[in-house]
Amino acid sequence: MRRSVPPAMRIGELATRVGVSTHVLRAWESRYGLLNPSRSSGGYRLYSADDERRVREVLSLRDQGVSAMEASRQVLAAERAGTAARTGVDGVSPDDRLASADAAAETTLRLDPPLLVAQLLDAITALDEDRAHAVLDTAFLDRSVESAIVDVLVPFFVRVGDQWELGRLGIAQEHFASSLVRRRLSALSLTWGLGTGPVAVLACPPGEFHDIILLSFGVLLGRAGWRVRYLGPDTPVPSLASAARLAKPDAIVLASRRPSGFRAHARELRAIAQNYPLWLAGRGTTPRVLEEIGANHLGPDLVADVELLTRSARSRRRNEGSGAGRDGRRHDTPAETPSEAHADSEPHP
């Protein structure tokens, strides 16, 4: 009979030993009941050699083409049926844990985006990083990246903004949410410099520090084959112009929640728009701003915006190949009417 080894590892050490990210381990724990940690006196989860063994067995099955869910079921079932079938250190038998894992996995797979948003908001409100990561794991593992961003992250940050304005969330929770999601999105941006696709420069104007939706948009662009040059929040306009000269982008996307973020630099931005396709996004994109700067408008639908930029870049390159002008603005679709631009009040890139 295999003896249970007292818990000794935190999740980071376990992840290093088995070669699996902490996000995946948390997902396997919360969804499939694969891991059975105890708590240290300081409240940290501690994992045992038995947990490590289960993970390695799941990985071996995955190498044979078995899904993570089915592999977890098989590993726990083998534990239940074999000599390892005994009461665990938490007083729960593998049989009971397997049944519980099946029920939890079935429930998780039925979670719709509004429920995920609500769960993520609850976790952020409590500053509970483990719970928040578990919700994000569910969103990104059970849905496409595009759906996780558009259907979960964007509505989540709309709720965060609303709750902050109502005084129900503090600055600490807002910063915690941004930091948590930024880390997740950053892992999806590692291929931004690869390939030969069109180039996009993404930035927020001076004084604009809220860039999570813009970062999300960059992830979607990267997945559509774009090479993204991400300048981020609070970008000086001269620096934006310098980056444009170096990158020679097929699109520049500038996002701000306030019209003043654009209008304070209208002259410089207009000069940029005369040489490169400039797209403005965010609540600050009013009809007056668009007229003053002479830029294109991106709406709140991030997936549609990616398609629009892609079509525009293709059109621009065709026009350049035929000797047409270099600015490439509005080649694909006409500019929106003032009423259409004004109707857009949701936060977007």
Side-chain angles (χ1 to χ4, degrees), residues 227-277:
R227 290 172 289 162
V228 179
R229 307 296 183 255
Y230 192 78
L231 307 185
D234 193 32
T235 301
V237 175
S239 297
L240 176 64
S242 176
R245 289 191 295 269
L246 289 172
K248 297 179 174 56
D250 298 276
I252 299 174
V253 179
L254 197 62
S256 176
R257 296 172 303 149
R258 300 178 302 276
S260 60
F262 297 126
R263 297 192 63 208
H265 311 279
R267 182 173 60 83
E268 297 93 332
L269 292 177
R270 188 172 188 85
I272 292 175
Q274 290 173 351
N275 292 286
Y276 304 96

Side-chain angles (χ1 to χ4, degrees), residues 9-25 28 51-52 55-56 58-60 62-63:
M9 293 176 286
R10 289 178 60 178
I11 193 167
E13 180 182 351
L14 177 59
T16 300
R17 290 172 66 93
V18 299
V20 174
S21 74
T22 58
H23 298 316
V24 170
L25 291 177
W28 290 356
D51 292 314
E52 180 179 348
V55 173
R56 292 190 184 279
V58 166
L59 292 175
S60 177
R62 289 194 66 189
D63 288 341

